[in-house]
Amino acid sequence: MVQTSRLSRRQFLAGATALAGAGATGLRPAFSADAQIEISSTWGADKPFQKVVDAFNDKKLGVTVVNRFDGDYEAATAKAVASIAAGRPPAMMITGWKFGYFAKRTLGARDLREINAAKAEAIAANFNPSVLPLVTIDGALIGLPWAMSTPITFINSTLWREAGLDPALPENPDTDWLYGAARQLDSKLKDKHATYRSALALSNNEWTSQSFIQNAGGFIIDPAGKLALNSPEAVAGMEQYCAPAFEGLWLPVSAKEQDAAFEAGALAICTTSSTRATVFPFGAAKAVTTKFPGLPGQARKMNSGGNFLAVYTRNQEQAEASLAFLEFCASREGQSIWSSVGYLNTSVHDIPLINEFMKPAAGQLTDGLTAETIWPGKRGLEGQTIWRKWVSRMLLKETPVADGMKGANDELAALIGAG
């Protein structure tokens, strides 16, 4: 079950030598006339993905790629549903890991091996075998494992210092340490500082709540593929996640508002995607980083997030043209360009971290990462929405945690059981 596969950096390195000689096939002009493919993308022209597209197009291989920004994962997937229903699937789409089953069973993501087996195997050989299960659904290789991040802790170093907290951060923090620091921040700075408004934000989403559930020894979906939100461990993890909001140390807001508050100095501590290591340390917050908090006395079991590049077109020439782009994305050159975005390196290529603030994320990769929840069934897109709704209801005290976990489990069980 993908939900519980551990992705260890040690495993990543194992077998790399053997794979190095089987890297992507030589890039060369492959089409007599220019083939144009559009990618439904979660990134606009101002993001590093566009640099990958531009570098590929500059090679003039007979394929031109157009990067079309379609919003976040949910928005892009919803647009794909509509275009596929109209008989106009996107040639390719950047698809969130969490929609793997939905992509294959409902959207019809192509098995790369059915398009061209030799090219598909050469592309896959550029990635460590331990990440390939993330893009293997129902036995089909449905994409290139493109982006992997993990939640880590960002701290406003100025506010931290003003509150008199120790600048030496623990390598493996836990909630006792983090929540204690949040209380001291509130005690020292609340109503006494020009910008400070809240000590802590753990991100009001399904991703970081999954981390708490796993770190408590629970599962959202267990190794047998069954929903496990009703377990005592899962409930305990969610209670720890909600605790600082109930105590008044965390004022839950949207992800966009959270980021803006942190960068403006209104928020002292923020747990969010490791990709923010490209911006938070260099803004007014002068952020420093450490790992995501574990739970006292419990083994750490962190999760990842991100996306894969999938092919959806039914046209064979378009599909072959898509593979030409994937060959470049998988190459050392493509991976090196892409690394500037701040995602973890999932390839066998030796690519250095972009900065020291990424070290906690790399450490979590070394410790081992599971996937974010990959919702089963043809209605997996709805499953994501349902779980997010219940997370918000519990966090905002609209329902007690135990009742909320049971409600989420029951509603999701009915949805998954329906297909």
Side-chain angles (χ1 to χ4, degrees):
M1 179 67 191
V2 170
Q3 166 72 16
T4 56
S5 297
R6 300 304 294 274
L7 307 176
S8 165
R9 184 62 181 171
R10 290 184 292 273
Q11 290 175 302
F12 271 28
L13 294 175
T17 302
L19 288 173
T25 57
L27 296 170
R28 58 190 182 280
F31 296 84
S32 56
D34 189 63
Q36 179 170 297
I37 57 171
E38 272 196 339
I39 299 179
S40 174
S41 172
T42 53
W43 297 294
D46 60 331
K47 303 300 182 184
F49 183 67
Q50 185 66 49
K51 295 180 181 179
V52 178
V53 170
D54 292 342
F56 172 79
N57 288 338
D58 287 346
K59 293 185 178 296
K60 303 187 185 308
L61 301 175
V63 178
T64 298
V65 175
V66 176
N67 176 35
R68 187 186 77 207
F69 176 63
D70 278 339
D72 61 17
Y73 295 139
E74 288 78 11
T77 303
K79 288 179 183 179
V81 170
S83 63
I84 288 169
R88 299 188 301 273
M92 298 178 67
M93 182 169 70
I94 292 169
T95 309
W97 298 121
K98 54 195 172 187
F99 299 136
Y101 289 112
F102 187 78
K104 176 65 171 65
R105 298 176 184 178
T106 301
L107 300 182
R110 300 285 302 275
D111 184 343
L112 302 186
R113 297 187 185 99
E114 291 181 356
I115 299 170
N116 186 312
K119 283 189 177 181
E121 293 299 336
I123 290 168
N126 285 271
F127 296 90
N128 194 278
S130 61
V131 302
L132 294 178
L134 290 173
V135 286
T136 303
I137 303 293
D138 299 334
L141 180 66
I142 66 167
L144 178 152
W146 183 238
M148 177 178 285
S149 58
T150 185
I152 61 174
T153 303
F154 295 86
I155 291 169
N156 182 313
S157 60
T158 301
L159 295 177
W160 192 263
R161 184 173 57 253
E162 289 183 22
L165 289 160
D166 188 348
L169 306 180
E171 182 180 356
N172 293 295
D174 63 23
T175 51
D176 282 355
W177 172 83
L178 189 70
Y179 296 172
R183 294 184 190 102
Q184 184 167 334
L185 281 156
D186 244 17
S187 173
K188 297 287 187 180
L189 302 180
K190 196 167 189 177
D191 300 323
K192 305 167 190 173
H193 191 279
T195 61
Y196 175 88
R197 295 292 180 274
S198 180
L200 176 67
L202 298 175
S203 297
N204 180 9
N205 60 29
E206 74 291 341
W207 194 37
T208 50
S209 59
Q210 179 190 339
S211 301
F212 272 80
I213 288 171
Q214 292 186 173
N215 283 338
F219 299 94
I220 292 180
I221 298 175
D222 70 18
K226 303 293 185 183
L227 281 167
L229 293 171
N230 263 337
S231 73
E233 294 83 3
V235 171
M238 184 58 71
E239 287 175 340
Q240 282 292 304
Y241 171 73
C242 293
F246 294 173
E247 192 176 335
L249 300 170
W250 171 16
L251 304 177
V253 293
S254 71
K256 184 177 290 186
E257 291 170 313
Q258 173 182 289
D259 286 4
F262 186 80
E263 291 183 306
L267 178 62
I269 308 168
C270 177
T271 63
T272 190
S273 170
S274 53
T275 58
R276 300 299 189 275
T278 61
V279 291
F280 281 175
F282 308 103
K286 298 291 189 295
V288 292
T289 57
T290 187
K291 290 181 180 178
F292 192 91
L295 297 183
Q298 298 281 353
R300 292 171 55 85
K301 189 179 180 184
M302 288 302 301
N303 53 307
S304 66
N307 56 69
F308 58 97
L309 293 173
V311 177
Y312 292 90
T313 179
R314 314 316 295 179
N315 178 281
Q316 184 61 20
E317 183 180 81
Q318 286 271 299
E320 291 273 5
S322 298
L323 286 191
F325 178 62
L326 293 185
E327 283 184 282
F328 176 73
C329 289
S331 70
R332 179 178 176 78
E333 181 182 357
Q335 288 288 301
S336 296
I337 297 169
W338 175 240
S339 68
S340 65
V341 78
Y343 281 105
L344 293 164
N345 178 21
T346 61
S347 76
V348 299
H349 309 303
D350 184 15
I351 298 172
L353 294 175
I354 58 170
N355 61 47
E356 64 179 14
F357 303 104
M358 282 290 295
K359 287 181 178 178
Q364 288 179 185
L365 176 58
T366 299
D367 295 340
L369 296 174
T370 72
E372 61 187 312
T373 302
I374 301 178
W375 299 98
K378 292 183 177 180
R379 297 174 66 185
L381 184 60
E382 297 171 66
Q384 171 68 27
T385 302
I386 289 170
W387 175 236
R388 184 173 288 179
K389 173 191 71 176
W390 282 100
V391 169
S392 290
R393 289 193 64 193
M394 289 180 278
L395 185 62
L396 299 175
K397 299 181 75 172
E398 294 176 3
T399 183
V401 170
D403 293 347
M405 294 295 275
K406 183 180 185 305
N409 198 87
D410 292 349
E411 188 172 353
L412 286 163
L415 180 82
I416 291 170

